[in-house]
Amino acid sequence: MTLLYSAIPPLRTTSDQETINEAFHRLAEESDEISIAVGYISLLSLDELNEVIQKNGISKVTLTIGMYSKEGMPERSYHAAKAYNQKWREEGIGEIRLVRSFAFHGKLYYFAKDNHPIAVMNGSANLGVIKLEATNLRQYEVASLIEDQTEIWNTKQLIDKLNASPISANIAEVKDLDLIRETNCDLGKSDLAEPVTSDDLNVYRKHQTGLSFLLPLKVPTEAERISGEGSKDSCMKSNINVCYAAPRSARKSRDWYEIQFTVDKSITTQPGYPQKNKPFIAITDDGYKFKAHTTSDGNKQFNAVGDELLLGRWLKGRLVAAGLVKPVNDTMKDETRKGMITREMLDEYGCHNLRLTKTDKTIDDPEDGPLDVWTLFFE
């Protein structure tokens, strides 16, 4: 057994000592099989693991994550893990599993070549140790490098038992996992969106009435995005992808956060739907409030008051925070439309509609007096 270290000043490693990070990457270069069972992962460590797999031609990999079934999983890491799981399964090299029967807090790393065990690492380090970042740069971890065949076999047996049903399941098959929503940093860029405390949000939830409207998000499929069929028309019909429509100026693209939320007449003509140009307060499920209104013929346009990008920052910002799309700086140069919101993205997010529900509460506005409060949920 050899001790593996962290290198954090003032406790640096000496010339004859190896860090956990160094040992992992060295052993990966010597292997064609890696099995890992840890409590937690990070987004960057997932990316690093996939890069290690591709770089070293790893032909068999399993990553088993032990704590999220009990605690909930950060949504960005969840979506990334599902994507890598699908990629590895399609390539026939492995999968990502979640422990279901209990909370597993161990940290086990198994390496093999041509079905012959090389070594295992056991210790305190979660997967984040393979890609150091700001959150763990000052976190000292210790592990043991074990090359005794009996102990290697015992570790591999334990990992295999963890990977058996019903103790764990492939992440794609887990449907009841609680997701921890990431902070939408984009909405904070608008001065007109104010945070709402969780206590206040719960009050508004309790005061919701039976007057509620489901507002569908109109988006193309991934195949339509790639093919670009009906290009201009399809963009205009997609109420949250209007940024890909013809620019207002020949020299300036539309802002990626611009949306044109057009609501069908079948909804706007229903009794109780917000009246045209009559402002109200929207309370979002992630804890923000802003003034909104309906405009245009038949009050078909739904938008925030005073900031044409606010609703887009809230809606698209949620998908950005979830790791499902990246903002585009110049939509005119996005020829492959990677920034276009698709049906598959909404499938992955788990929601295709906004839910607008009236409450029996009002808020005094300095400009417009008492305003009705509606909840606007994307969940």
Side-chain angles (χ1 to χ4, degrees):
M1 184 188 79
T2 303
L3 198 61
L4 300 173
Y5 304 83
S6 296
I8 300 178
L11 195 56
R12 296 184 179 276
T13 54
T14 61
S15 59
D16 60 340
Q17 294 175 335
E18 189 174 29
T19 67
I20 304 171
N21 181 289
E22 291 168 343
F24 175 87
H25 286 86
R26 174 179 60 80
L27 290 168
E29 291 180 359
E30 301 172 9
S31 306
D32 60 16
E33 177 183 350
I34 301 176
S35 292
I36 301 171
V38 292
Y40 303 96
I41 55 94
S42 69
L43 184 61
L44 288 182
S45 66
L46 272 178
D47 294 339
E48 180 70 10
L49 178 58
N50 182 68
E51 185 174 328
V52 165
I53 290 167
Q54 303 303 318
K55 176 183 176 182
N56 296 297
I58 303 297
S59 57
K60 186 175 181 181
V61 58
T62 59
L63 171 61
T64 308
I65 312 170
M67 296 298 292
Y68 294 138
S69 288
K70 301 300 179 184
E71 298 181 355
M73 187 171 185
E75 61 178 339
R76 185 183 288 263
S77 295
Y78 169 74
H79 293 305
K82 281 192 67 178
Y84 282 129
N85 174 69
Q86 180 178 342
K87 180 177 185 293
W88 298 347
R89 291 177 101 180
E90 290 174 351
E91 293 173 350
I93 64 173
E95 62 174 339
I96 297 178
R97 301 180 67 83
L98 297 180
V99 175
R100 304 286 286 160
S101 298
F102 43 74
F104 175 77
H105 200 253
K107 291 87 179 176
L108 309 174
Y109 300 78
Y110 168 84
F111 303 87
K113 176 74 171 180
D114 297 329
N115 293 320
H116 295 296
I118 297 174
V120 294
M121 297 192 316
N122 303 338
S124 66
N126 283 301
L127 192 66
V129 77
I130 74 172
K131 184 66 175 181
L132 299 179
E133 51 189 298
T135 56
N136 63 357
L137 277 177
R138 297 294 299 171
Q139 185 167 302
Y140 200 99
E141 307 286 359
V142 178
S144 296
L145 175 63
I146 300 172
E147 297 173 298
D148 176 81
Q149 291 297 306
T150 299
E151 293 305 316
I152 294 176
W153 176 244
N154 289 339
T155 302
K156 183 59 164 61
Q157 277 191 314
L158 177 56
I159 295 175
D160 289 343
K161 289 178 181 178
L162 289 171
N163 289 338
S165 178
I167 293 177
S168 68
N170 184 277
I171 191 170
E173 299 165 1
V174 178
K175 305 302 182 183
D176 59 347
L177 184 67
D178 290 331
L179 294 185
I180 302 171
R181 296 298 184 191
E182 309 280 356
T183 301
N184 179 2
C185 298
D186 293 311
L187 190 56
K189 297 175 183 178
S190 174
D191 294 333
L192 300 181
E194 301 178 22
V196 174
T197 67
S198 58
D199 288 342
D200 285 344
L201 179 57
N202 288 333
V203 169
Y204 292 121
R205 284 182 184 271
K206 292 177 181 178
H207 282 265
Q208 289 174 321
T209 68
L211 185 60
S212 187
F213 302 93
L214 201 62
L215 312 180
L217 303 176
K218 303 169 186 176
V219 294
T221 64
E222 183 70 13
E224 291 169 339
R225 176 192 72 81
I226 294 173
S227 66
E229 292 180 359
S231 120
K232 180 179 178 180
D233 290 340
S234 64
C235 293
M236 292 303 294
K237 291 177 182 178
S238 176
N239 51 21
I240 59 175
N241 286 311
V242 71
C243 59
Y244 285 93
R248 295 187 179 90
S249 167
R251 295 183 179 181
K252 187 176 181 181
S253 299
R254 290 174 181 256
D255 193 291
W256 183 77
Y257 286 99
E258 180 184 349
I259 68 174
Q260 192 175 80
F261 205 148
T262 304
V263 182
D264 288 341
K265 185 177 180 180
S266 61
I267 298 173
T268 63
T269 55
Q270 292 180 25
Y273 189 78
Q275 298 177 23
K276 178 180 177 180
N277 292 327
K278 184 177 180 180
F280 57 90
I281 299 297
I283 305 292
T284 68
D285 56 294
D286 55 344
Y288 288 94
K289 69 176 180 180
F290 54 86
K291 195 187 300 186
H293 60 173
T294 63
T295 62
S296 193
D297 294 339
N299 64 341
K300 64 182 180 181
Q301 298 296 334
F302 181 94
N303 213 335
V305 175
D307 186 346
E308 64 177 8
L309 299 181
L310 191 156
L311 193 61
R313 290 191 184 281
W314 173 68
L315 180 58
K316 288 188 173 182
R318 295 277 287 270
L319 301 176
V320 171
L324 296 174
V325 66
K326 293 182 179 180
V328 172
N329 291 328
D330 189 338
T331 53
M332 291 179 65
K333 295 181 180 179
D334 185 19
E335 297 179 356
T336 59
R337 299 180 173 187
K338 290 184 179 180
M340 185 171 283
I341 309 304
T342 65
R343 188 179 303 168
E344 287 79 2
M345 289 181 191
L346 298 182
D347 285 342
E348 186 66 20
Y349 191 76
C351 190
H352 287 257
N353 310 276
L354 301 186
R355 171 69 71 175
L356 182 65
T357 305
K358 195 174 187 298
T359 75
D360 57 13
K361 304 285 285 184
T362 61
I363 290 179
D364 287 329
D365 181 78
E367 297 177 353
D368 298 298
L371 297 181
D372 291 335
V373 175
W374 292 69
T375 58
L376 183 65
F377 287 2
F378 182 39
E379 61 178 9

